[in-house]
Amino acid sequence: MRRFSQYVALVAYIVFLAFPLAWLLSTALKTPREMALADPTWIPRDPTLANFADAFGEQDLVGAGLRSLVVALFSSVITVLISLPASYAMARYRSLLNRIAIGWVLVSQVFPFILIIIPLFMILRDLDLVNTLPGLVVVHVTFTLPFALWMLQGYVRAVPRELEEAAAVDGATRLRSIASVVAPLLAPGVVATLLFSFISSWNEFMFALVILQNPDVMTLPLTLVRFTGPEGVARLGPLAAASLMATIPSLIFFAIIQRRLKSGLMAGAVKG
Amino acid sequence: MTATVTRPAPPRGTRRAKRRRISRQTREMWLLMLPALVPVALFSVGPLLYGIGLAFTDARNTRNRETSFVGLENFGRLLTDDEFWSSFKIGAIWGVSVTVLQFLAALGLALLLNENLRFRGVARVLAVVPWAMPPVVIGLMWKLVYHPDAGILNDLLGTDINWLADFSLALPAIIVVGIWTGMPQTTVVLLAGLQGIPKELYEAGEVDGATRWRRFWNITLPQLRPVIVAITSLDFVWNINQFGLVYVLTQGGPGGQTRLPMLFAYEEAFRYRMAGYASMLGLAMAIVVLAVLALYLGRQMRETK
């Protein structure tokens, strides 16, 4: 009996999680005629890929995808490059500066973005970086940095100090021991952080909405919203198709890092 | 390992040598932190302080920088602004209900996934999907579910409701989406916490004849407590700051029924260009969120003692 109710609960959860996804997929494969039926069908009677092609015609998906890719690549690489040394310092030294850095990581999670984005917008406007991709990269780096620091310092902490000390005893300089002992062990963490920052930037909407107002420079999330049209009228098929396509990179990356992200998140959030 | 490796002996010598060593370490640390400190200072701490300052001015979000200090005028305006209070109330309902409900759902799911059940794998894979999807896509997807004509929900329930345009149903409707979005991450964290509880505790409990319910209440919950406190606090902060999802779903409508504080602040700052007022709104939200967190964390700490 208990088993039975557990299965009922599990199936209910699976349905709750899966049915919007199934509906998205179903909508993406329908013809406009089937979409207009009074009684919506679960499984498209006449499945078509036309919506995927139409999506490209309706909005500049290729351009938006490329811009999102460029912004996410630059943001994630820069984020990891600058947070790597800092996270090493956070994990290995004890000092006031260090405690301030850790405090900032926490504070940055609590303060509403609006408090930062208004002045940031003004600063970027003065630097003529509004409506530019470099402007958005700058914003995304500062937005992904705290979490990247947090994740990476967790990975650094997981590398036993004794290994470095052993290398020091063997006569390796600090840099040498970092390069040949710490770096290889840190590689999985770096990859996970890189992918996490990439996805954060790829998915990010609010900052992009503020910084990029010109349709010619919009990233993918902004372009997707344009599918709903100014009055909320939308051709649902292309909208669903474009939404699915925008999710694919995230899904691939998450499939790769799922396990690592979990341990990284735990290391950061709980052991803190 | 620790037994065979000794720490490098500190260099012998005077105190001055020691101090020099420390200052070299400090220099090293500064150098390592610098590449992160500079952008954080320029584009994060700096703007934050600037934003707090703006809250006490009449600044407009235009190229014209003529602003003057107005003290607490913005705060006074906030207190008498009905739209603010309505958005504050909506934010409170949203923040608390999404956090609590998504926690309860995630706890249930984590307990289930921790059992040896069939389909567990399917549920685990599915649990990651919402996490990976762009919030904008989640919003659009649920718009399709809630669509009055072409949506599946009305068809399933046999109703004819325009969910996202209905005054009393729009907020519950987006709360469901909030739960759907946040639950997976909470589940994954709780599941990891569950797996960290030593099996011996349960075995001892079983020997003592504790019922399942007792074991859950006296072993699982107390052992999980640090994880629960951490993840619910984070979830609350993330939910309160939610923007994209709701922007896509309702843009705050109908008639402001789903206008979360972040949407309200965004409109004030970038539609009406009231930079000073919007900053005060952000500051007020920050203070309220910090106060709620302090109360919650303080209580949790006292109870642990």
Side-chain angles (χ1 to χ4, degrees):
Chain A
M1 192 57 209
R2 209 189 72 229
R3 272 280 121 120
F4 179 73
S5 50
Q6 281 180 338
Y7 275 111
V8 171
L10 191 63
V11 169
Y13 275 125
I14 292 177
V15 169
F16 178 55
L17 285 172
F19 101 93
L21 294 166
W23 187 243
L24 182 67
L25 187 64
S26 161
T27 308
L29 297 175
K30 276 181 194 164
T31 57
R33 179 192 302 229
E34 191 168 357
M35 200 89 67
L37 290 179
D39 225 7
T41 44
W42 264 111
I43 297 163
R45 282 175 209 155
D46 188 15
T48 167
L49 290 177
N51 289 321
F52 289 85
D54 284 357
F56 288 100
E58 218 154 287
Q59 297 289 342
D60 179 19
L61 277 185
V62 177
L66 283 176
R67 285 188 290 273
S68 271
L69 188 69
V70 167
V71 169
L73 270 180
F74 272 93
S75 317
S76 54
V77 170
I78 295 173
T79 298
V80 168
L81 281 182
I82 62 182
S83 58
L84 202 52
S87 63
Y88 181 83
M90 275 170 80
R92 285 291 191 254
Y93 297 90
R94 284 185 179 283
S95 84
L96 184 64
L97 177 65
N98 215 313
R99 280 200 291 278
I100 292 175
I102 291 175
W104 175 251
V105 170
L106 298 173
V107 167
S108 68
Q109 296 290 305
V110 179
F111 270 90
F113 294 143
I114 195 81
L115 216 47
I116 293 176
I117 203 167
I118 298 170
L120 201 51
F121 176 77
M122 293 172 152
I123 294 167
L124 292 177
R125 190 171 49 199
D126 287 347
L127 297 171
D128 269 325
L129 286 175
V130 166
N131 272 323
T132 68
L133 299 186
L136 190 61
V137 169
V138 166
V139 176
H140 278 184
V141 167
T142 41
F143 150 83
T144 50
L145 200 55
F147 207 84
L149 276 174
W150 199 240
M151 273 178 87
L152 277 173
Q153 62 104 22
Y155 285 109
V156 175
R157 263 178 225 279
V159 175
R161 228 177 240 271
E162 286 80 14
L163 290 181
E164 275 176 80
E165 283 160 5
V169 169
D170 290 345
T173 61
R174 188 171 200 106
L175 263 178
R176 178 77 203 280
S177 93
I178 290 178
S180 55
V181 177
V182 183
L185 288 170
L186 220 51
V190 169
V191 172
T193 313
L194 199 66
L195 292 175
F196 182 83
S197 310
F198 182 94
I199 295 302
S200 300
S201 170
W202 178 269
N203 289 350
E204 200 283 323
F205 175 72
M206 187 184 182
F207 288 120
L209 181 71
V210 170
I211 306 288
L212 308 175
Q213 287 153 353
N214 180 349
D216 295 338
V217 291
M218 283 182 174
T219 51
L220 203 52
L222 296 174
T223 309
L224 287 177
V225 173
R226 289 170 66 81
F227 272 99
T228 58
E231 316 82 22
V233 200
R235 285 180 59 221
L236 303 179
L239 184 153
S243 296
L244 276 174
M245 288 189 279
T247 310
I248 290 169
S250 312
L251 282 182
I252 294 172
F253 286 130
F254 261 75
I256 300 172
I257 62 164
Q258 187 202 346
R259 268 198 204 125
R260 285 191 193 131
L261 190 71
K262 190 165 69 183
S263 53
L265 203 75
M266 289 304 295
V270 181
K271 284 172 202 149
Chain B
M1 176 129 207
T2 36
T4 53
V5 178
T6 48
R7 282 172 185 276
R12 253 183 262 164
T14 56
R15 272 165 65 181
R16 198 204 253 152
K18 197 175 170 193
R19 201 180 308 139
R20 204 181 302 138
R21 195 170 64 92
I22 288 169
S23 82
R24 207 198 60 188
Q25 277 215 350
T26 316
R27 247 200 340 266
E28 238 172 45
M29 191 185 64
W30 269 100
L31 219 60
L32 290 169
M33 299 277 257
L34 214 57
L37 282 181
V38 171
V40 164
L42 282 181
F43 298 107
S44 196
V45 181
L48 178 68
L49 296 176
Y50 190 12
I52 294 174
L54 277 179
F56 302 95
T57 69
D58 63 356
R60 310 268 311 186
N61 184 9
T62 54
R63 277 192 188 273
N64 180 2
R65 278 301 178 71
E66 263 176 54
T67 57
S68 47
F69 181 76
V70 294
L72 287 173
E73 203 181 289
N74 286 326
F75 188 67
R77 197 178 137 197
L78 209 59
L79 291 181
T80 55
D81 186 342
D82 288 344
E83 290 207 31
F84 164 73
W85 283 112
S86 123
S87 139
F88 185 87
K89 203 182 89 192
I90 291 162
I93 296 174
W94 159 271
V96 173
S97 54
V98 174
T99 306
V100 170
L101 295 174
Q102 109 187 357
F103 166 71
L104 292 177
L107 183 62
L109 183 54
L111 288 169
L112 279 176
L113 293 183
N114 204 29
E115 300 265 332
N116 201 7
L117 296 176
R118 247 183 263 183
F119 310 123
R120 190 168 73 159
V122 183
R124 281 194 183 184
V125 171
L126 271 175
V128 181
V129 174
W131 196 358
M133 291 175 81
V136 165
V137 171
I138 296 179
L140 292 173
M141 178 175 77
W142 278 90
K143 256 184 120 115
L144 294 175
V145 171
Y146 283 134
H147 197 280
D149 309 317
I152 194 65
L153 194 62
N154 273 336
D155 193 54
L156 284 177
L157 299 176
T159 48
D160 189 19
I161 299 169
N162 196 347
W163 298 91
L164 296 173
D166 186 286
F167 262 66
S168 51
L169 291 175
L171 186 57
I174 65 163
I175 286 174
V176 170
V177 184
I179 295 167
W180 192 90
T181 310
M183 192 180 83
Q185 193 166 348
T186 311
T187 307
V188 171
V189 172
L190 288 176
L191 191 57
L194 281 177
Q195 285 165 353
I197 301 177
K199 293 265 178 300
E200 295 79 37
L201 290 178
Y202 291 104
E203 284 157 15
E206 234 163 316
V207 169
D208 291 347
T211 58
R212 267 187 86 76
W213 179 246
R214 281 217 79 87
R215 271 178 274 154
F216 171 74
W217 207 247
N218 292 335
I219 301 172
T220 311
L221 272 189
Q223 288 284 318
L224 216 51
R225 183 175 211 134
V227 182
I228 293 175
V229 173
I231 192 65
T232 46
S233 314
L234 276 174
D235 277 341
F236 178 70
V237 171
W238 286 332
N239 288 327
I240 281 291
N241 284 326
Q242 182 60 263
F243 177 82
L245 193 65
V246 181
Y247 182 92
V248 172
L249 278 164
T250 61
Q251 294 226 15
Q257 291 302 307
T258 60
R259 194 190 285 138
L260 299 185
M262 284 306 109
L263 273 90
F264 185 54
Y266 168 81
E267 280 178 12
E268 287 294 332
F270 295 99
R271 188 174 300 167
Y272 307 116
R273 310 243 155 229
M274 306 300 281
Y277 186 52
S279 298
M280 179 53 88
L281 214 140
L283 187 57
M285 285 315 294
I287 291 169
V288 171
V289 170
L290 282 171
V292 171
L293 278 187
L295 274 175
Y296 174 67
L297 293 175
R299 225 195 94 187
Q300 291 300 328
M301 264 195 249
R302 265 201 310 283
E303 279 181 19
T304 317
K305 275 179 197 162

